[in-house]
Amino acid sequence: MKILTFDQSKCDGCGACQRLCSLRKKGKVQPSEARIRIKRTDGAEGESPFLRAVYCQHCAEPTCVTACMRGIILKDPATGLVSRKTEDCFQCAACAVMCPVGAALLDHDMDAFVTCDLCGGDPLCVKVCPRGAIKYEDVEAAIEEKRNRYAQMAMREEAMHR
Amino acid sequence: MKRELRGLYIDLDAEVFSWKTTDLPSTAADDAVVITTGVLAGTGSPVFDCLSIKEGGGPSSYCSGRIAAALRYAGADAVVIRGQLAKSRVLVLEDGTGMLDDMPVKVENNEALKEGTALRRALRDQYLTDETVIEDRAVPSALLAKGIAAIIVTGTGGLAVADPAAMIDAYIEFYQNSLCPDDVCTCDPLADEACAAILRKLITACYGETCTDEDLAHFQERGLLVAQPAGCCSDADSCCCGKEAE
């Protein structure tokens, strides 16, 4: 199974992913309704803002699937993809409330809650990220890379405290 | 290529906000300050999020982080400001509405405004959302002189694109050929044929009319293409190119 991964250290918050995601999904540029959103949180005085990407994680056990009252959110056991029949959504917002990362958002043109569908296996955000902060990779590779990054960070911190 | 702009006209003396559709302005009349967003501002790459600011005379291009895009998402392609405020205030634009708000903290003078970390903190506490862009330290002196200490823009609207598929293809080409992002501050888009070709493709896809070299020159002359001046990174928090402040 392949998933989107986000490297916070590479992201500069340019927003290209958001803009082009909305262009593909809505036919117009509207970053506030993109399926990937870069959130800024102020750092301490003099520090850069803290950036994180919010998008569907296609969880192993998605709470949105159990929360949906109409049963229109499905997880494909073979690919791991969480998808939804948006035409049957009646906007109860249960999926948005239950999502642990806040990935579900209301698309005002579709009148339905939507999430990232990985562009059918060819995510546009990956192609247009100028810093290579977003990758589409196997879960195992993603976990390994995350562990490596964590180890490097821990070593840097250790060296700073010596 | 004619570009119709939706302009917000602000009379500071009477505190009146009105909307007009206008053609591309080439000069600023009387005491007005004219802010115009770039032809591709907000469409895909922050590389193109430039503003043109005119105060009398000719245009001056001005790279301004994400505020050009935010203005367009808020529904304003241009802002024309006339008149003079008696004391410094904050200009707040939110999805087609505009207002002048009192300063959240007391700031002594324009120099202190440019320093402005206390002001920045206060503005963020008061206004910041995911869709809000705050411009304070980089507010041009023409606006500071009119009494506008900061511009806060919240835009959640969408920008129409004539041919989304063609625009996506052009942006993929733009990013995958590594045109610009790292060199944005010194880039002259018309000096490089590859860059000009991408710009023509993007503008054609965006507006649905064939963009020629003459159109590019016309837009560049008015400061509406890339052409960010060196040192655009005065505001590292929101600068389009992501470099550290110089």
Side-chain angles (χ1 to χ4, degrees), chain A residues 8-155:
Chain A
Q8 188 189 349
S9 66
K10 291 183 180 168
C11 178
D12 64 8
C14 78
C17 53
Q18 266 181 274
R19 295 173 180 196
L20 285 150
C21 172
S22 62
L23 184 59
R24 173 170 276 181
K25 295 300 180 190
K26 298 172 71 71
K28 61 183 174 183
V29 185
Q30 189 171 8
S32 62
E33 293 193 8
R35 298 176 188 198
I36 179 168
R37 297 177 304 285
I38 304 298
K39 303 260 184 183
R40 288 167 176 258
T41 308
D42 264 351
E45 194 69 55
E47 286 182 9
S48 298
F50 175 81
L51 300 167
R52 65 192 172 93
V54 174
Y55 54 89
C56 179
Q57 303 291 310
H58 298 274
C59 303
E61 292 177 14
T63 50
C64 56
V65 172
T66 45
C68 181
M69 291 177 233
R70 288 204 161 172
I72 61 171
I73 308 177
L74 306 166
K75 182 165 178 77
D76 185 326
T79 63
L81 185 78
V82 175
S83 61
R84 50 182 71 211
K85 296 177 192 160
T86 49
E87 63 274 18
D88 293 332
C89 175
F90 71 132
Q91 303 166 42
C92 69
C95 57
V97 170
M98 294 303 289
C99 177
V101 296
L105 84 155
L106 182 61
D107 184 316
H108 288 88
D109 295 321
M110 295 172 76
D111 283 335
F113 277 87
V114 293
T115 50
C116 168
D117 61 1
L118 299 173
C119 293
D122 185 23
L124 181 59
C125 53
V126 175
K127 291 181 181 170
V128 298
C129 177
R131 309 264 160 189
I134 308 169
K135 284 185 186 165
Y136 184 53
E137 56 191 351
D138 284 320
V139 177
E140 290 76 17
I143 291 170
E144 193 172 322
E145 192 183 325
K146 205 161 192 173
R147 288 171 68 183
N148 283 338
R149 275 211 306 268
Y150 180 77
Q152 283 166 8
M153 189 185 74
M155 282 195 299

Side-chain angles (χ1 to χ4, degrees), chain B:
Chain B
M1 178 183 276
K2 189 177 176 186
R3 184 185 170 218
E4 293 255 298
L5 303 170
R6 186 165 182 260
L8 173 62
Y9 286 71
I10 305 171
D11 181 341
L12 296 177
D13 298 327
E15 288 195 31
V16 172
F17 292 73
S18 56
W19 291 91
K20 290 180 200 168
T21 301
T22 175
D23 193 9
L24 200 64
S26 56
T27 58
D30 50 59
D31 75 331
V33 172
V34 179
I35 303 172
T36 320
T37 56
V39 270
L40 288 170
T43 58
S45 169
V47 167
F48 303 116
D49 288 352
C50 62
L51 296 175
S52 170
I53 304 214
K54 306 178 188 80
E55 182 196 18
S60 60
S61 181
Y62 175 77
C63 171
S64 181
R66 298 174 296 139
I67 202 158
L71 277 171
R72 296 196 80 195
Y73 303 144
D77 299 314
V79 182
V80 180
I81 302 169
R82 291 197 169 90
Q84 177 71 49
L85 290 172
K87 60 174 185 173
S88 288
R89 299 181 77 184
V90 174
L91 174 61
V92 183
L93 306 175
E94 188 174 341
D95 282 339
T97 63
M99 61 173 281
L100 290 161
D101 212 348
D102 289 330
M103 295 282 281
V105 289
K106 192 177 176 190
V107 182
E108 297 299 332
N109 53 41
N110 283 355
E111 287 310 308
L113 276 174
K114 285 177 184 169
E115 298 287 322
T117 45
L119 173 64
R120 168 159 289 216
R121 281 268 152 206
L123 291 173
R124 285 182 172 177
D125 289 347
Q126 189 163 334
Y127 298 103
L128 200 63
T129 69
D130 287 338
E131 280 82 33
T132 306
V133 176
I134 295 174
E135 188 77 295
D136 55 351
R137 281 180 298 183
V139 168
S141 54
L143 290 182
L144 285 177
K146 284 190 172 296
I148 294 175
I151 304 173
I152 291 110
V153 184
T154 305
T156 61
L159 282 184
V161 171
D163 187 346
M167 186 157 227
I168 288 170
D169 287 344
Y171 265 121
I172 290 173
E173 189 181 341
F174 171 78
Y175 282 113
Q176 296 198 344
N177 288 336
S178 300
L179 286 168
C180 283
D182 287 327
D183 301 313
V184 57
C185 293
T186 54
C187 176
D188 175 1
L190 303 192
D192 182 304
E193 179 45 38
C195 194
I198 286 286
L199 283 167
R200 284 195 301 268
K201 273 187 202 176
L202 287 168
I203 295 171
T204 301
C206 189
Y207 294 96
E209 283 179 58
T210 304
C211 176
T212 63
D213 284 339
E214 289 72 34
D215 293 326
L216 286 186
H218 175 75
F219 291 137
Q220 194 186 37
E221 189 188 342
R222 283 160 175 74
L224 302 177
L225 276 182
V226 185
Q228 290 94 337
C232 72
C233 311
S234 60
D235 179 3
D237 287 352
S238 61
C239 186
C240 58
C241 75
K243 290 181 180 172
E244 293 300 315
E246 291 173 357

